């Protein structure tokens, strides 16, 4: 049976074929950190990784699995639906 995210609207071929993801235990007891990030989507994971690489003690809290939700269903498009290229739009806003 394919993996069914508790917050995804349907089954994902990618999730079913990507292999096992690491599992992390639930937050148990007190934890100290310089920064706490809530949400393990693209933005939360990126922020946590950059802060950790800079030496910050980071705790990331995610209710489900990292990448579930909108980040896990993102098609990766950038700038779709615009009627002009980004460089032209940038000129019009300057």
């Amino acid at each position: 049976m394919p993996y069914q995210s508790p917050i995804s609207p349907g089954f994902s071929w990618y999730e079913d074929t990507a292999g096992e993801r690491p599992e992390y235990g639930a937050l148990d007891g007190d934890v100290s950190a310089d920064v706490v990030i809530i949400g393990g989507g693209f933005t939360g994971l990126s922020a946590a990784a950059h802060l950790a690489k800079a030496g910050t003690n980071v705790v990331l809290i995610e209710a489900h699995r990292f990448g579930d939700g909108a980040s896990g269903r993102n098609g990766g498009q950038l700038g779709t639906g615009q009627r002009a290229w980004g460089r032209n739009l940038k000129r019009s806003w300057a």
Side-chain angles (χ1 to χ4, degrees):
M1 175 122 171
Y3 170 76
Q4 172 66 53
S5 168
I7 58 176
S8 178
F11 291 105
S12 164
W13 174 83
Y14 170 77
E15 287 177 352
D16 192 42
T17 60
E20 293 298 316
R21 290 195 231 180
E23 293 192 22
Y24 302 93
L27 187 61
D28 186 25
D30 293 338
V31 176
S32 294
D34 298 323
V35 175
V36 175
I37 297 173
I38 300 174
F42 287 144
T43 303
L45 289 170
S46 178
H50 282 84
L51 288 166
K53 286 178 184 176
T56 305
N57 180 9
V58 181
V59 170
L60 190 144
I61 299 173
E62 168 57 50
H64 301 287
R65 292 189 328 175
F66 296 141
D68 272 0
S71 288
R73 295 186 308 274
N74 183 315
Q77 293 85 19
L78 175 64
T80 60
Q82 296 174 337
R83 302 226 190 295
W85 290 102
R87 64 181 171 269
N88 296 335
L89 292 173
K90 183 178 176 182
R91 270 189 238 129
S92 69
W93 292 335

